Amino acid sequence: MPYDLIIRDALVIDGSDSPGYRADVAIGNGRIQRIGNLHGVSASEEINAAGRVLAPGFIDVHTHDDTVVIRQPEMLPKITQGVTTVIVGNCGISASPVTLAGDPPDPMNLLGPASAFVYPRFRDYRQAVDQARPAVNVAALIGHTALRSNHLDDLMRTARPAEISAMREQLRVSLQDGALGLSTGLAYASAYSAETDEVKQLAEELTAFGAVYTTHLRSEFKPVLEAMQEAFEIGRHARSPVVISHLKCAGAGNWGRSPQLLDALETAARTQPVGCDCYPYAASSSTLDLKQVTDAFRITITWSTPCPDQGGRDLQDIAAGWNLSLLDAARKLQPAGAVYYGMDEQDVQRIMQHPLSMIGSDGLPEDPFPHPRLWGAFPRVLGHFSRDLGLFPLHKAIHKMTGLTATRFGLHERGFIRQGYWADLVLFNAATVRDVADFTAPKRAAEGIDGVWVNGHLSYAGGKPQGERHGRFLQRSGSLVSGFKQG
Ligand SMILES: [Zn+2]
């Protein structure tokens, strides 16, 4: 029986952290059927991929694409980078299960206005993803802040026992319906008042499922090490793997501390499963947080509800124009979004290089003037950091975007080029691949991405989406509880 497609003579970098090899890859029924020398074997369609790299489709481990996968299912910012799967529900904020009383609390507003939150149960969200059939696969975490907003009348306190029970129930049902795990965003005011014990009790629900705990730490500033210890403690308590989201040393006083953070991560990794994700930029982006307003580094405004015309401008210039202090100007702009140029490049590179780190974009698709990571994160690692700066070999870069991620999150039969696995694939030119999006023109597609297949279907080529969309909802597919040791 002929195959649907043979990609011939590619340099196959298979996601396993080993160097590439020349091979032909045959695809049929959405899956990788054969890998090797397929001379004399035929297919309905053949592609000559000589001089190109064939890798597993990239898995964007850290996204806020919860509602955009439904409302703009073409997913151009991601498919143009070679991303074939997004993990949503990070940083404590998820589109489901959510029942809002009014406007979404900060930072849930990063996912859209109140009208975007129409999934009271996780299974409603799952169904909506299946119906929208986005261009990329979608797997989802349940946000702690989302659960809090469902059951607490006041987010500025820790939850009471009855509220914790109600949140646990919602989390348990969501895990039964295929959610990957629990995420927190303890740095944000809407979750900061939650005591460690509240999170520990919720995390107990993860144990039976072998599901993951991901966390935007309680602090990325001076107390970052203490915040990491809190995350590890929660993971040990629930016997749950821990992923620290966008690990960084934030704030000028904190620069240069990445070796300490990575030491702490390695120490924990000796006795429990831990890892982190990171994005390849020295600037962060989120809602405009008054606690982060400073003159120590540049801050630009990306959106502002009361002052939409200020999007794209420096906070310093806005404040000067209004004759206000930075803090008063920030107050006047709220609710708003911002880019903070608050990291040191050496720290960013050290964390990205570490074997426990995965690549995630943390892109904000709702933002009218988004941080360029939304469109550029993956090609920037391949081009700028791996090829141009030589930070790590290409197969390591790809491992951080594919095999490592699929393993950490239990995404079964994804993340590797292996016989029988789903044919999520990206073909690219290693000599030319690069991010084009930057801080002044952030919505620009990468160069050098030649073809992207999702579940065996060509979905992007020649700079354009191709044919129908073929993404699926991916449910949690296995227990991750291994790697715990006495200690
Ligand atoms: Zn975050």
Side-chain angles (χ1 to χ4, degrees), residues 62 64 91 188 216 220 245-246 362:
H62 191 104
H64 297 292
C91 301
Y188 291 105
H216 176 149
E220 297 176 329
S245 298
H246 42 59
D362 201 8

Side-chain angles (χ1 to χ4, degrees), residues 89 94 96-97 120-122 140-144 146-148 150-151 163-184 198-207 209 211-213 238 240 476:
S94 55
S96 77
R121 299 169 307 175
F122 184 70
L141 297 156
I142 301 301
H144 169 231
L147 296 173
R148 281 170 65 82
N150 292 340
H151 297 289
E163 294 160 342
I164 290 179
S165 310
M167 290 193 282
R168 285 182 71 148
E169 171 71 19
Q170 267 195 318
L171 175 58
R172 187 183 321 129
V173 171
S174 304
L175 290 165
Q176 280 161 357
D177 288 337
L180 288 183
L182 173 69
S183 81
T184 59
E198 173 183 323
V199 184
K200 273 178 153 176
Q201 289 189 57
L202 287 182
E204 285 172 11
E205 294 297 333
L206 301 172
T207 315
F209 297 92
V212 69
Y213 173 65
S240 175
R476 186 181 35 73

